[in-house]
Amino acid sequence: MNMFVAKIGGIVKGILTGFDRIVFKGSILPLMHPEGAMRFFRSQGVLNKDFKSWAMGQTAEVVGSAERYARKHCGEGIIPISSSKARKEDLAHTRQRRLGMESGLIGVYSAVEPCWSYRARYSAQAGHPVLAREWMKCKHLYFYFDHAQYGFMNIRLQTWFPYHVQICLNGREWLRRGLERRGEDFVARGNKFVHVGDYPLAQRLLDRQLDTRWEPLLDRFAATVFPAKQAIIGPRLSYYWTLWQSEWATDFMFGSRRDIAPIMDSLLRHAFMTGTADRVLRYMDRPLRMDGAPRADNRDEVTSRLLDFGDGARVRHWVNQNSAKLYTELNILRGEVTINNPAMFRAPRHVQGQNPEDPKRLLPLRKGVADTALRAQISGQINDRLLDNLAAAQCETPVRELLDKVVRPRVKQGRRVRALDPAGKDRALLQALGDPALCVSGVCNKMLREKLRGKPGYEMTEKQLSAKISRQLRLLRDHGLIRKLGRQKKYAPTKKGHELAAALSAMLAASTKQLMDIAA
C-alpha cells in the first residue's frame, strides 16, 4: 500500500484501515451431532421420542424471556415480521430515528427462518427412536442495539434447540463510539467516516480492536439475549465462537468527491483489465500451475464485475466465497476484502495444544476466533497487493518513455547490458514482475521458475531454467526494475518495475481502436 499512498498521498486527508462488518457464530459443539445431542438428553432424563415436546416447552421459555427483556428495555415487546426476506436492519434504523434513541436496545424482531435441528425417527437397527439431523424452520429473534461501546449491532438467536447464536458487529461503529467518548470531532455517514479530526487516534482505536478477548465478550452478549441457557443447557456446556464473515476495509478520505474523479477512472479500468483469472487467484493467494495458469483440479470460480452507481463506482473480484473490491462513495475511496471461506488461506500458527515454544507451521486459516488477528493480517495483505498493483495505473509517464529506458542496451560498471524485449522474449518475465503475490513476498529464482516454467522460451531442464532465471534477475536489476532486499535472496519491484509491468498489462488488454483513441 506504500506505493499507492505515495501516488495519491498529497490529496488524501487521512487513511483508516481495520475491520468493517464482522459476523460471529456461536454453536455448542457437543450438541452439533446426533450422538452428542442424545447423550445430553439422556443426562437430562428426556427420551428421544419426547424431544419435540421438550423443545417446544424450552422455546416458549426463550421467547417469553425475550418478550420480558424487550418490554423492560425498549417499552415494546417482540415485533413480528411476516417475511424473512425483510431487511431487519432497515427496520431497526427506522425505529431508532423515529424514537430518537441514542443508545440501548432498539427493538426485538421475530421471523420464521430456516435452521437445522433434530427430529425423532424410529430406527429399526437401534429398536427405538433416535434423533436425526434435519433442516426445518423455526422462530428466530433479532435483538438490535446501539451499544454504548460497540455502536449499532445485532444478535440473532435461534429459539429452537440447539440454540445457535449469531452476533454482528461493525468495526467502524465501534470506532464511532470510541471517538464520541473522547469528544473527538468527526463526521460519519453510515459505516464510513467522511472526516475525522484526529486520524492517528482513530487508527489506534481500530488497531486496538484486534486485542479484544473475543470469547468473553461474545459470551456476555449471548447471556444478555439467552439468559435461560444456564437452566436449559447447564453451566458445563458453552458456545464455541467462529468468525463466520469478516470485512477488512482501507478508506482513503479526500477533501471532496471531485478530488477522486481524476484518479478513479484509471484505477477501476486498470483493476478490471488486470483482473484475469490467474491474477485474481494470485490476489487470493490460491495455488496455480507451475506456468502460472489455474490448476486443472482447481474448482475456484472467479467472477469480476465493474459497476457504476449513483455516487460512485466499484470493481469487485470474487474467488469462491471471498472477494476483493475497490469502490468510491461520497469523498471516500475504499479497498475492501471480504472473507467467508478462510480455509483457502494459510498462515503461520501453532496447532491446537502445541507447545508455544515450538516453531509455527504454515497451516490453513481457521474460522475460530483464535485466528482473528491472523485473518486481519491476511486481509490487510490482500488489500495491499490490490492497492499497490493499482498504484501503477496512476503513472502519467508516456509508455514510450517507459519503454525507451529498457529497449536499448546500456552499460553498467563497464559491462554491456542487453536491451529488454517487452513484446517478445521478455514479455512473460515482465508480466510476472507485476504479479501481486510476487509484490508481497518478494521475487526469487524459485518463484519465477514456478511462474514461467513451460512458457515459450522456458521449455528446458530445471537446472537450465534456474540458470536462465538467475541471468534474468541480474538483467532486471541492471535495468533498475527490481532491487535486492537486505539479507535475503529476494528482490522487490521498484517503482519503475511496477509502472512498466502495469503499462504492458494495459497495452495487452486494450484493443487497437482504444490505443488509437488514447493516442489521439
Side-chain angles (χ1 to χ4, degrees):
M1 189 173 69
N2 292 335
M3 181 179 172
F4 186 79
V5 173
K7 286 286 186 182
I8 66 171
I11 56 174
V12 172
K13 295 196 307 179
I15 304 172
L16 293 177
T17 183
F19 277 128
D20 188 37
R21 185 172 181 264
I22 44 178
V23 182
F24 301 90
K25 282 195 173 183
S27 304
I28 302 174
L29 294 184
L31 307 182
M32 293 287 284
H33 53 93
E35 293 78 11
M38 287 188 288
R39 282 197 298 269
F40 168 75
F41 287 121
R42 283 197 297 270
S43 70
Q44 301 295 310
V46 178
L47 299 177
N48 293 340
K49 67 183 182 67
D50 296 329
F51 164 72
K52 182 176 181 180
S53 59
W54 177 90
M56 290 179 64
Q58 306 307 322
T59 294
E61 173 58 29
V62 172
V63 174
S65 175
E67 176 77 18
R68 293 188 294 272
Y69 180 81
R71 291 192 179 278
K72 177 179 178 180
H73 290 90
C74 67
E76 184 175 355
I78 297 174
I79 305 170
I81 300 175
S82 58
S83 172
S84 62
K85 297 181 180 180
R87 287 184 57 85
K88 295 88 175 172
E89 185 172 323
D90 293 341
L91 296 175
H93 278 302
T94 300
R95 176 177 169 83
Q96 183 179 18
R97 288 192 297 269
R98 177 169 58 84
L99 299 178
M101 299 178 61
E102 294 185 359
S103 65
L105 179 67
I106 298 171
V108 180
Y109 300 86
S110 69
V112 177
E113 297 176 343
C115 69
W116 73 259
S117 183
Y118 299 101
R119 193 184 303 275
R121 296 191 180 279
Y122 179 78
S123 169
Q125 181 179 1
H128 57 79
V130 297
L131 296 184
R133 179 168 169 165
E134 289 189 7
W135 277 98
M136 54 186 65
K137 289 186 176 182
C138 77
K139 180 179 290 188
H140 290 75
L141 300 178
Y142 287 81
F143 297 76
Y144 277 89
F145 301 86
D146 199 329
H147 197 279
Q149 182 174 354
Y150 303 102
F152 190 85
M153 59 169 289
N154 72 78
I155 305 175
R156 178 180 185 258
L157 174 63
Q158 178 178 316
T159 64
W160 191 262
F161 185 89
Y163 313 112
H164 296 296
V165 178
Q166 176 178 296
I167 299 175
C168 182
L169 300 174
N170 190 293
R172 278 5 189 218
E173 283 287 324
W174 193 342
L175 173 61
R176 172 178 67 88
R177 284 303 197 184
L179 294 174
E180 286 176 346
R181 287 195 303 272
R182 288 162 176 78
E184 294 292 332
D185 175 43
F186 69 90
V187 178
R189 294 290 183 271
N191 66 337
K192 297 178 179 64
F193 289 83
V194 297
H195 167 74
V196 177
D198 190 340
Y199 285 100
L201 171 62
Q203 186 58 57
R204 288 196 298 273
L205 293 177
L206 283 172
D207 294 340
R208 197 176 298 170
Q209 294 174 9
L210 298 178
D211 298 328
T212 301
R213 296 182 61 205
W214 295 106
E215 290 184 353
L217 172 65
L218 299 172
D219 283 339
R220 290 196 299 271
F221 283 142
T224 299
V225 302
F226 188 22
K229 173 185 172 296
Q230 296 293 329
I232 297 174
I233 303 298
R236 297 182 61 184
L237 298 180
S238 59
Y239 279 105
Y240 174 76
W241 295 102
T242 60
L243 182 49
W244 180 64
Q245 181 187 81
S246 65
E247 293 177 350
W248 182 270
T250 300
D251 292 342
F252 298 87
M253 273 69 71
F254 294 78
S256 68
R257 194 184 310 168
R258 292 189 301 271
D259 296 334
I260 306 178
I263 66 171
M264 194 57 200
D265 181 66
S266 60
L267 286 176
L268 288 172
R269 292 184 185 280
H270 178 71
F272 198 67
M273 284 189 302
T274 58
T276 56
D278 62 329
R279 179 59 55 84
V280 177
L281 291 172
R282 279 296 190 183
Y283 282 141
M284 294 298 177
D285 201 23
R286 298 304 287 146
L288 303 178
R289 276 186 354 213
M290 289 183 175
D291 63 358
R295 283 172 26 177
D297 62 348
N298 195 328
R299 296 295 181 264
D300 296 331
E301 181 179 350
V302 180
T303 306
S304 297
R305 295 177 180 175
L306 180 62
L307 299 175
D308 290 305
F309 50 89
D311 56 356
R314 181 187 76 190
V315 63
R316 185 171 194 169
H317 302 305
W318 281 95
V319 179
N320 289 341
Q321 303 169 38
N322 304 317
S323 70
K325 65 181 177 181
L326 182 78
Y327 67 97
T328 59
E329 187 173 344
L330 302 171
N331 66 322
I332 298 167
L333 172 65
R334 169 174 282 194
E336 184 175 293
V337 173
T338 301
I339 294 182
N340 298 299
N341 178 23
M344 66 179 284
F345 303 106
R346 291 181 175 269
R349 63 174 177 83
H350 289 116
V351 179
Q352 188 170 356
Q354 183 180 352
N355 188 338
E357 301 298 326
D358 293 341
K360 295 181 179 179
R361 296 159 52 191
L362 199 62
L363 298 168
L365 191 65
R366 298 167 296 188
K367 281 193 173 183
V369 294
D371 281 1
T372 299
L374 286 175
R375 182 184 288 217
Q377 179 183 345
I378 289 174
S379 299
Q381 290 173 353
I382 297 172
N383 241 352
D384 291 348
R385 288 198 291 265
L386 177 64
L387 293 168
D388 274 347
N389 192 259
L390 296 179
Q394 285 301 292
C395 176
E396 298 180 358
T397 305
V399 176
R400 179 188 66 253
E401 294 184 18
L402 295 175
L403 295 177
D404 283 344
K405 297 176 182 179
V406 297
V407 297
R408 297 174 183 174
R410 57 182 305 187
V411 177
K412 183 175 182 180
Q413 297 177 350
R415 293 183 298 106
R416 183 182 183 276
V417 179
R418 78 163 176 87
L420 290 174
D421 185 4
K425 62 182 179 181
D426 296 319
R427 169 181 159 182
L429 175 66
L430 293 174
Q431 284 187 293
L433 190 63
D435 191 299
L438 299 182
C439 295
V440 173
S441 59
V443 182
C444 66
N445 190 301
K446 180 180 179 181
M447 296 187 71
L448 281 180
R449 290 202 310 270
E450 294 175 352
K451 181 72 175 173
L452 299 173
R453 185 184 290 109
K455 291 192 174 182
Y458 296 90
E459 307 96 335
M460 54 189 68
T461 67
E462 192 70 13
K463 184 175 181 180
Q464 291 172 331
L465 181 59
S466 178
K468 180 172 182 176
I469 296 297
S470 294
R471 293 192 297 270
Q472 290 189 329
L473 285 170
R474 179 66 177 268
L475 179 65
L476 293 175
R477 192 176 180 185
D478 286 341
H479 278 284
L481 301 181
I482 60 174
R483 60 180 178 83
K484 194 172 187 307
L485 298 175
R487 299 183 180 181
Q488 301 182 60
K489 294 182 179 179
K490 289 186 177 182
Y491 303 84
T494 62
K495 176 184 176 183
K496 180 180 175 182
H498 276 297
E499 292 174 348
L500 181 61
L504 182 61
S505 296
M507 287 191 299
L508 294 175
S511 66
T512 302
K513 181 179 183 302
Q514 289 172 325
L515 293 174
M516 294 297 292
D517 290 342
I518 294 172

